[in-house]
């Protein structure tokens, strides 16, 4: 394998750099390696390794040539010449040069990278990793330093292979952990190596924690100055986050041994808080990421995740974490936007699902006497005023976490919603720091109409939807709020819901204007206001009644549903609002009841087109694949700098158009709202079908009307009956037309479904046909295998029977042989006994046998002679008869055919009979 790699590398040298250049470089590197391996003078060998280090670190062609042949030579130097420190240094420095990319930014992505190829080749050397780890125990500073650099390079490009190798080496990780106690340069290099080593390997993470990593990490952070430190603090926190990210037991160990005091101290702002360097920002972001990991409690697969999360929350609150987060996220105006956003996200995670922490946040105040205000008010002010989209999303997440399953908190916030005079509504938020939460929120909801900017109204609508979510009492309370008109002459006060619908229509017209001018300032306002309406109307008949009080509301929604210039998300949300007016409708007024709403939808939009809006909405990016919350990347050296520099975290990502819907909606429209819309869709479909199946009868047939009234003439009675019948016919015709419309809609729905089926039918048929052929071939192969199996089984039975028969024959032969042996032994014993008796008593057996043979031979010879005489006589007779027959014209051969065979057969039977007689 090694030779294949080397030959491949040599081939790449020729391919990339040309045959002439590569041969010169190969020969030069080969000469230097020969001097290192076979040189007699130590000084010459040192000079050769110095020359090799110089050319390898400066030229890619020499890097590639060295990678093809140099690693075994230098590893041999490291293994066998440990006493020559200068040679070992030179070998290690050469390896560092061979693994370090030269001008990595200049080459194209498809260009061969010799440093990466060399890293792969060196990591495949069996003795490489154990040898390098053993060098960490050397006393020489540069030996340890270069060794750590080589290990880091190997780990960066081949992490799985190096992680596996280190785990198999006794005390391998222990040696690396010992480097954290070494001199500063060695410590920093070892810290970087451990950071790479612990990113994905849980086994290594556990061993590193067992070796005292937490204590060593926080000691280094303190020595470097906590958040005011340099990149070393960032590396320490990245290593800490690697250890805490996936393993809940490591979080438990940190909480119960070291505690969270050292972590909290990193978040403290010291000295002049208005100076924030880029590195300090990154360090604070890394520490806040640690807080987020602790508030998460561990990976999703951990069984004890929830218990651990609650224990972490309790301990962190005891350590005054909320106060530090409020300072970083809200109170300090000098903190960078990126830090503020993450700090507020941590506040949201800290109070989510925890009533005590929610109450603690509600009781907190910001500022100093006399300029103090509740923390929630300050967060709301920031949400309404900030120009940064990510800061709005983070603050909105705080209110979402505060109101989630918190009826008391929602009621508390809703109770402060008191309208202000019109003049006060148009004052700037900063002019009155003592404004209540509700007044500030209403100010945001009703501002922006005059200057044509609905951004503030949109943000306030998102907060109001959190307050109203799943809380019927708050919905009823907010319905009573009326907004004062600018002038008494313009009419009576307007309800808050009607004002929201008015702003929704205004946003639509502003959006059309923005599209013509190629701007997108209000591209998501409609969706967020529609979210408020959907949340408000859900399970609240009073809100539905209030919405339908103004006839233009229904007309505008019908137009919005049918407007093809709107996004599928907007049309779908408008369809949901219309559906809520059906399923939560308790009105009995004609035209406003459920039947009237369904009738209008059928006439103006068409049921098939209406239901199609739901299908299109569910295919939008908000419902397919987009998470309800923004996913944040962990901070590393490569990513943290860009994130800290940005004044608008991920703002570039938000500007990328994945669809016509604004990407911010994936953050604001959370998973709860998406699930609510899905459940409402199912209820809307069911209720509309129910309304159509049980249509409202406009005129009740009263039997008394068919009877003639007293004093009524016949002509008047006939006239009244005729009018009644005409009215009935008109109503019947109306029902027939409506049912025809429904049938047409259902037919269109069926056709669209069939067209979709046909569109996908071609590929489905191909797939089904392929599967059918595969099944048929498999069945045929199965039958063949069954037949072969039956044949093999029959042969096995036959051979088994044959083996049994052969075994029986062998057994019988063995028995016969044993009996013959016994008989033979017995006869031999008798012969010996007879021999011992002497010749006078018994005759000579052998002599008797010889005489018998001679007599038999004489008798057989006589019989043979007689037989020959007879045969001669018979032969002469046959010859005479043959001549006579030939004269008579007979075919002698045909007459004699078969005569000898019959005689032979008779002779054989006679001989057999003779043998049987014998």
């Amino acid at each position: 394998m090694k030779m294949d790699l080397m030959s491949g590398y040599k081939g790449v040298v020729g391919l990339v750099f040309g045959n002439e250049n590569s041969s010169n470089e190969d020969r030069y590197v080969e000469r230097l390696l020969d001097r290192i391996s076979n040189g007699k003078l130590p000084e010459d060998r040192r000079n050769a390794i110095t020359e090799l280090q110089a050319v390898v670190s400066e030229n890619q062609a020499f890097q590639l040539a060295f990678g093809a042949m140099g690693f075994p030579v230098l590893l041999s130097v490291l293994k066998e010449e440990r006493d020559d420190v200068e040679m070992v240094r030179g070998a290690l420095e050469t390896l560092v040069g061979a693994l370090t990319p030269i001008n990595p930014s200049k080459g194209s992505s498809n260009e061969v990278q010799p440093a990466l190829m060399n890293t792969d080749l060196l990591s495949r050397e069996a003795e490489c990793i154990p040898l390098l780890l053993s060098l960490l125990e050397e006393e020489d500073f540069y030996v340890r330093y270069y060794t750590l650099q080589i290990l880091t390079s190997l780990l960066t490009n081949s992490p799985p292979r190096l992680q596996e190798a280190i785990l198999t080496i006794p005390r391998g990780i222990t040696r690396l952990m010992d480097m954290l106690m070494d001199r500063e340069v060695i410590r920093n290099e070892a810290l970087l190596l451990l950071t790479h080593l612990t990113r994905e390997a849980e086994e290594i993470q556990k061993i590193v924690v067992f070796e005292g990593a937490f204590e060593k990490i926080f000691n280094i952070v303190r020595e470097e100055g906590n958040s005011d430190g340099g990149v070393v603090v960032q590396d320490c926190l990245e290593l800490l986050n690697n250890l805490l990210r996936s393993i809940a037991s490591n979080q438990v160990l940190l909480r119960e041994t070291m505690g969270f005091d050292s972590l909290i101290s990193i978040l403290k702002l010291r000295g002049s808080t208005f100076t924030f360097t880029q590195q300090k920002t990154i360090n604070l972001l890394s520490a806040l990421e640690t807080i987020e990991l602790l508030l998460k409690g561990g990976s999703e697969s951990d069984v004890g995740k929830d218990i651990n999360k609650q224990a972490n929350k309790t301990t962190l609150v005891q350590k005054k974490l909320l106060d530090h987060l409020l300072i970083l996220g809200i109170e300090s105006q000098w903190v960078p936007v990126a830090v503020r956003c993450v700090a507020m996200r941590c506040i949201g995670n800290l109070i989510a699902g925890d009533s005590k922490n929610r109450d603690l946040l509600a009781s907190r105040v910001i500022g100093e006497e006399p300029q103090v205000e509740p923390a929630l008010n300050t967060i709301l002010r920031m949400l309404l005023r900030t120009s940064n989209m990510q800061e709005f999303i983070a603050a909105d997440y705080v209110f979402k976490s505060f109101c989630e399953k918190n009826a008391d908190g929602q009621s508390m916030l809703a109770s402060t919603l008191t309208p202000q005079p019109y003049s006060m509504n148009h004052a700037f938020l900063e002019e009155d720091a003592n404004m209540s939460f509700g007044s500030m929120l209403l100010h945001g909801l009703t501002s922006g109409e005059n200057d044509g900017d609905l951004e503030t109204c949109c943000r306030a609508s998102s907060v109001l939807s959190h307050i109203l979510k799943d809380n019927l009492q708050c919905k009823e309370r907010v319905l009573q709020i009326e907004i004062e008109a600018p002038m008494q002459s313009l009419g009576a006060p307007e309800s808050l819901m009607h004002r929201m619908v008015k702003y929704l229509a205004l946003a639509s017209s502003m959006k059309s204007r923005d599209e013509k001018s190629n701007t997108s300032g209000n591209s998501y306002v409609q969706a967020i206001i529609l979210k408020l309406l959907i949340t408000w109307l859900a399970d609240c008949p009073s809100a539905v009644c209030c919405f339908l009080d103004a006839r233009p509301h229904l007309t505008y929604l019908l137009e919005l549903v049918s407007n093809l210039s709107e996004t599928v998300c907007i049309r779908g949300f408008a369809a949901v609002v219309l559906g809520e007016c059906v399923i939560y409708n308790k009105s009995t007024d004609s035209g406003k009841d459920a039947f009237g709403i369904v009738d209008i939808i059928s006439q103006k939009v068409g049921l098939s087109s209406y239901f199609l809006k739901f299908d299109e909405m569910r295919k939008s990016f908000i419902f397919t694949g987009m998470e309800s919350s923004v996913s944040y990347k962990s901070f590393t050296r490569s990513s943290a700098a860009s994130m800290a520099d940005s004044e608008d975290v991920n703002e570039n990502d938000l500007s990328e158009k994945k669809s016509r819907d604004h990407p911010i909606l994936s953050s604001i429209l959370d998973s709860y709202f998406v699930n609510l819309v899905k459940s409402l869709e199912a209820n809307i479909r069911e209720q509309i079908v129910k309304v159509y199946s049980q249509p409202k009868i406009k005129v009740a047939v009263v039997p008394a009307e068919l009877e003639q009234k007293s004093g009524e003439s016949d002509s008047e009675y006939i006239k009244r009956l005729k009018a009644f019948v005409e009215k009935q016919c008109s109503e019947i015709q109306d029902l027939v037309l409506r049912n025809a419309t429904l049938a047409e809609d259902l037919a269109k729905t069926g056709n669209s479904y069939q067209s979709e089926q046909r569109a996908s039918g071609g590929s489905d048929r191909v797939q089904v046909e392929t599967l059918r052929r595969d099944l048929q071939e498999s069945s045929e192969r199965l039958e063949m295998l069954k037949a072969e199996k039956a044949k093999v089984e029959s042969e096995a039975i036959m051979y088994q029977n044959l083996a049994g028969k052969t075994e029986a024959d062998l057994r019988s032969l063995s028995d016969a042989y044993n009996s013959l042996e016994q008989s033979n032994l017995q006869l031999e014993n008798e012969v010996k006994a007879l021999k011992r008796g002497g010749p006078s008593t018994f005759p000579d057996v052998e002599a008797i046998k010889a005489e018998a043979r001679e007599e038999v031979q004489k008798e057989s010879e006589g019989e043979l002679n007689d037989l020959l005489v007879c045969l001669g006589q018979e032969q002469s007779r046959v010859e005479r008869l043959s001549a006579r027959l030939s004269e008579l014209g007979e075919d002698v051969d045909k007459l004699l055919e078969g005569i000898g065979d019959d005689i032979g057969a008779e002779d054989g039977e006679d001989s057999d009979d003779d043998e049987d007689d014998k």
Side-chain angles (χ1 to χ4, degrees):
M1 180 66 182
K2 188 186 300 181
M3 294 305 297
D4 292 341
L5 285 171
M6 288 183 178
S7 61
Y9 280 17
K10 291 180 180 179
V12 172
V13 171
L15 179 64
V16 177
F17 298 100
N19 292 329
E20 184 178 354
N21 292 336
S22 65
S23 61
N24 292 335
E25 287 140 2
D26 286 348
R27 285 196 297 270
Y28 185 69
V29 170
E30 190 173 0
R31 284 198 303 269
L32 292 177
L33 292 173
D34 183 67
R35 287 169 58 189
I36 295 171
S37 300
N38 304 319
K40 303 300 181 184
L41 298 176
E43 192 63 29
D44 180 60
R45 299 177 66 229
R46 295 190 187 101
N47 291 336
I49 206 168
T50 302
E51 291 180 39
L52 182 62
Q53 185 273 328
V55 297
V56 167
S57 61
E58 295 176 357
N59 191 296
Q60 287 187 341
F62 284 105
Q63 275 188 337
L64 203 57
F66 171 78
M69 64 187 81
F71 288 122
V73 175
L74 294 192
L75 290 178
S76 177
V77 171
L78 297 177
K79 183 178 180 180
E80 299 173 2
E81 303 184 36
R82 298 283 278 271
D83 295 335
D84 192 338
V85 177
E86 190 171 346
M87 283 290 292
V88 172
R89 279 187 191 176
L92 291 172
E93 195 170 1
T94 304
L95 291 176
V96 172
L99 304 180
T100 303
I102 300 173
N103 298 328
S105 60
K106 292 184 178 180
S108 64
S109 58
N110 296 328
E111 185 179 342
V112 175
Q113 297 293 332
L116 298 180
M117 299 173 69
N118 291 344
T119 302
D120 181 74
L121 183 61
L122 181 59
S123 65
R124 295 176 186 273
E125 294 286 345
E127 298 181 353
C128 173
I129 308 303
L131 181 59
L132 290 174
L133 288 177
S134 67
L135 289 172
L136 294 177
E137 298 179 349
E138 294 294 323
E139 296 181 359
D140 185 77
F141 167 80
Y142 289 101
V143 170
R144 300 198 304 277
Y145 178 68
Y146 292 142
T147 301
L148 287 173
Q149 284 188 320
I150 294 170
L151 289 171
T152 302
S153 297
L154 293 175
L155 186 61
T156 303
N157 299 317
S158 303
R161 197 175 299 150
L162 191 63
Q163 289 168 351
E164 182 179 355
I166 290 178
L167 280 173
T168 59
I169 299 171
R171 299 190 71 254
I173 297 178
T174 303
R175 294 175 190 172
L176 296 178
M177 293 297 295
D178 292 340
M179 295 296 100
L180 294 179
M181 310 302 293
D182 209 318
R183 294 165 60 177
E184 183 175 345
V185 177
I186 298 290
R187 178 201 68 186
N188 296 345
E189 201 66 37
L191 187 61
L192 192 61
L193 174 61
L194 286 168
T195 300
H196 287 291
L197 190 64
T198 55
R199 277 184 183 160
E200 300 294 338
E202 291 191 7
E203 290 299 322
I204 294 180
Q205 293 171 9
K206 294 178 181 178
I207 298 174
V208 168
V209 169
F210 181 76
E211 293 288 342
F214 291 141
E215 183 178 359
K216 293 175 182 177
I217 288 172
F218 285 115
N219 286 339
I220 297 173
V221 170
R222 279 193 297 270
E223 292 173 3
E224 294 293 322
N226 288 309
S227 62
D228 294 316
V231 71
V232 176
V233 174
Q234 177 187 347
D235 292 337
C236 285
L237 292 174
E238 185 179 349
L239 174 59
L240 176 64
N241 293 339
N242 290 345
L243 301 177
L244 299 178
R245 182 169 289 108
S246 302
I247 306 178
S249 59
N250 287 352
Q251 296 186 9
V252 174
L253 188 63
L254 174 62
R255 184 178 67 241
E256 296 181 353
T257 56
M258 290 285 298
F260 296 149
D261 292 315
S262 298
L263 177 61
I264 298 295
S265 64
I266 301 175
L267 300 177
K268 293 180 180 179
L269 298 180
R270 300 171 177 82
S272 54
T273 57
F274 55 89
T275 57
F276 277 86
T277 63
Q278 184 190 64
Q279 189 58 58
K280 182 173 183 177
T281 301
I282 294 173
N283 292 342
L284 286 172
L285 290 173
S286 300
L288 289 171
E289 184 188 4
T290 309
I291 297 294
E292 284 190 302
L293 293 174
L294 294 174
L295 294 176
K296 185 179 178 182
S299 64
E300 296 295 334
S301 59
D302 272 329
V303 178
K305 170 191 170 185
D306 294 335
I307 298 176
N308 184 48
K309 176 172 64 176
Q310 190 58 44
N312 288 343
K313 282 186 178 182
T314 302
T315 306
L316 288 169
V317 169
Q318 292 173 354
K319 301 299 180 182
K320 309 296 182 184
L321 172 66
L322 182 59
D323 296 334
H324 295 292
L325 292 177
L326 289 173
I327 293 173
L328 288 174
I330 303 167
E331 191 169 358
S332 178
Q333 57 181 331
W334 307 109
V335 176
V337 171
V339 177
R340 291 207 302 268
C341 291
V342 180
M344 281 192 287
R345 194 166 70 243
C346 288
I347 293 174
N349 291 331
L350 186 66
I351 66 175
D354 193 307
S355 58
K356 293 182 179 179
N357 292 347
R358 286 194 294 248
D359 295 341
L360 187 64
L361 175 62
S363 64
R364 283 289 187 270
V365 294
I366 301 296
E368 298 179 357
E369 294 291 346
Q371 298 295 326
V372 295
E373 68 174 346
L376 289 175
N377 289 29
T378 308
I379 297 174
L380 178 62
R381 190 187 304 276
M382 175 187 294
L383 180 146
L384 297 175
R385 290 177 54 190
T386 182
S387 60
N388 185 281
M389 190 59 62
Q390 287 300 312
E391 199 168 5
F392 155 59
I393 293 173
D396 184 78
Y397 180 68
V398 174
F399 288 111
K400 172 184 179 296
S401 301
F402 181 83
C403 295
E404 191 82 29
K405 298 179 181 179
N406 182 19
D408 293 338
Q410 290 172 306
S411 300
M412 183 267 292
L413 295 179
S415 65
T416 63
L417 291 168
T418 54
Q420 298 291 322
Y422 178 78
S423 58
M424 190 65 193
N425 283 341
H426 289 267
F428 291 104
L429 290 176
E430 57 269 21
E431 290 183 0
D432 187 3
N434 295 321
M435 187 181 293
S436 68
F437 179 92
S439 299
M440 196 185 311
L441 183 61
L442 287 175
H443 180 280
L445 287 169
T446 56
S447 65
E449 179 180 356
N450 294 337
D451 55 8
D453 182 13
L454 295 175
E455 176 73 26
T456 303
C457 172
C458 163
R459 298 179 181 184
S461 298
S462 182
V463 176
L464 182 60
S465 66
H466 296 316
I467 297 174
L468 301 181
K469 181 169 56 180
D470 292 335
N471 194 315
L472 184 59
Q473 181 182 358
C474 290
K475 293 178 182 180
E476 300 278 1
R477 184 187 187 95
V478 177
L479 278 177
Q480 308 304 320
I481 297 176
E482 294 184 342
I483 307 299
E484 182 181 340
M487 298 175 60
Q488 293 295 333
S489 60
L490 295 180
E494 185 179 14
S495 70
L496 180 61
M497 174 173 283
H498 291 187
R499 181 65 65 91
M500 290 297 98
V501 180
K502 174 183 175 182
Y503 287 160
L504 178 63
L506 181 61
S508 180
S509 62
M510 292 172 63
K511 181 179 178 182
S512 301
R513 183 187 62 195
D514 291 339
E515 289 177 351
K516 293 179 181 179
S517 60
N518 294 326
T519 59
S520 57
N522 296 278
S523 59
Y524 53 89
V525 172
Q526 287 174 284
I528 295 180
I529 296 179
L530 283 169
K531 174 194 174 185
L532 171 62
L533 293 178
I534 292 172
T535 305
W536 201 342
L537 297 179
D539 202 21
C540 184
S542 300
V544 172
C545 182
C546 179
F547 178 83
L548 294 175
D549 280 343
R551 184 74 178 182
H553 292 175
L554 199 58
T555 304
Y556 169 68
L557 279 182
L558 292 168
E559 293 176 355
L560 196 60
V561 169
S562 304
N563 191 350
L564 297 179
S565 64
E566 297 292 348
T567 66
V568 294
C569 183
I570 299 298
R571 296 199 299 267
F573 287 172
V576 173
V577 175
L578 283 174
E580 288 180 311
C581 292
V582 175
I583 61 178
Y584 300 119
N585 194 317
K586 303 298 182 183
S587 175
T588 57
D589 296 340
S590 176
K592 291 184 180 180
D593 57 354
F595 183 86
I597 303 300
V598 173
D599 190 35
I600 293 175
I601 293 174
S602 175
Q603 293 179 12
K604 300 295 184 182
V605 181
L607 290 184
S608 62
S609 178
Y610 174 74
F611 289 140
L612 187 61
K613 309 306 176 188
F614 293 118
D615 299 331
E616 293 173 347
M617 175 182 63
R618 296 190 67 169
K619 295 177 183 178
S620 65
F621 82 103
I622 298 171
F623 288 79
T624 56
M626 293 295 293
E627 294 294 332
S628 59
S629 59
V630 179
S631 58
Y632 297 90
K633 299 177 181 178
S634 59
F635 293 98
T636 61
R637 282 198 179 191
S638 59
S639 65
S642 60
M643 297 182 73
D645 283 338
S646 175
E647 279 299 314
D648 194 358
V649 183
N650 291 337
E651 189 72 16
N652 293 330
D653 295 338
L654 291 179
S655 64
E656 295 178 0
K657 292 286 184 179
K658 296 179 182 178
S659 71
R660 294 177 59 202
D661 293 307
H662 200 286
I664 191 179
L665 297 179
S666 62
S667 301
I668 300 301
L669 305 179
D670 53 21
S671 59
Y672 168 85
F673 179 74
V674 171
N675 293 330
L676 172 64
V677 170
K678 290 179 180 178
S679 64
L680 286 173
E681 175 193 348
N683 293 337
I684 290 168
R685 290 178 184 271
E686 180 181 355
Q687 187 65 23
I688 287 179
V689 171
K690 182 179 179 181
V691 169
Y692 250 96
S693 64
Q694 299 176 356
K696 176 182 177 182
I697 299 176
K698 293 184 176 180
V699 178
V701 178
V702 182
E705 293 185 6
L706 301 179
E707 299 178 0
Q708 187 174 6
K709 297 179 181 179
S710 59
E712 186 179 18
S713 64
D714 292 342
S715 60
E716 292 176 350
Y717 176 57
I718 294 171
K719 185 177 181 179
R720 183 167 60 83
L721 288 178
K722 183 178 180 181
F724 178 79
V725 171
E726 289 178 351
K727 188 175 183 180
Q728 289 288 85
C729 290
S730 175
E731 292 176 0
I732 292 172
Q733 185 67 25
D734 188 19
L735 290 175
V736 168
L737 291 175
R738 195 156 37 243
N739 288 336
T741 303
L742 177 60
E744 181 182 356
D745 292 336
L746 293 177
K748 290 181 180 178
T749 304
N751 292 336
S752 63
Y753 176 78
Q754 291 175 4
S755 63
E756 291 179 0
Q757 291 294 101
R758 286 195 296 271
S760 61
S763 59
D764 291 343
R765 283 195 297 274
V766 172
Q767 186 176 6
V768 169
E769 184 64 21
T770 303
L771 293 174
R772 188 187 64 76
R773 287 198 302 268
D774 293 342
L775 179 60
Q776 184 177 359
E777 292 175 0
S778 300
S779 300
E780 292 174 357
R781 286 196 298 269
L782 182 60
E783 293 299 329
M784 292 173 60
L785 291 174
K786 287 182 177 178
E788 291 179 2
K789 179 184 177 184
K791 182 178 178 181
V792 170
E793 288 178 350
S794 63
E795 290 179 355
I797 294 172
M798 181 185 70
Y799 288 129
Q800 186 176 4
N801 296 334
L802 183 60
K805 181 180 179 182
T806 305
E807 184 179 359
D809 294 341
L810 289 174
R811 192 178 297 110
S812 63
L813 288 174
S814 176
D815 295 338
Y817 178 79
N818 291 332
S819 63
L820 289 174
E821 285 286 336
Q822 293 176 359
S823 300
N824 187 36
L825 181 61
Q826 184 178 0
L827 291 172
E828 286 180 356
N829 292 333
E830 291 176 358
V831 169
K832 290 179 181 179
L834 291 173
K835 285 183 177 180
R836 284 196 299 269
S840 59
T841 307
F842 298 99
D844 189 357
V845 176
E846 295 296 331
I848 294 172
K849 287 181 179 180
E851 292 177 358
R853 282 196 294 268
E854 290 177 357
E855 292 178 358
V856 170
Q857 187 174 5
K858 290 178 180 179
E859 291 178 357
S860 62
E861 287 177 354
E863 292 176 354
L864 182 60
N865 292 331
D866 294 338
L867 182 61
L868 289 174
V869 172
C870 293
L871 287 175
Q873 294 174 355
E874 292 295 325
Q875 182 66 29
S876 61
R877 291 178 184 175
V878 169
E879 290 176 353
R880 287 195 301 269
L881 287 174
S882 297
R884 180 60 179 167
L885 289 173
S886 297
E887 292 174 357
L888 294 175
E890 295 292 334
D891 190 351
V892 179
D893 294 331
K894 184 177 294 186
L895 291 173
L896 294 176
E897 185 178 357
I899 295 176
D901 297 336
D902 297 336
I903 296 172
E906 292 175 359
D907 294 340
E909 291 176 359
D910 295 338
S911 63
D912 292 339
D913 295 336
D914 295 339
E915 288 177 3
D916 293 336
D917 295 335
K918 291 178 182 180

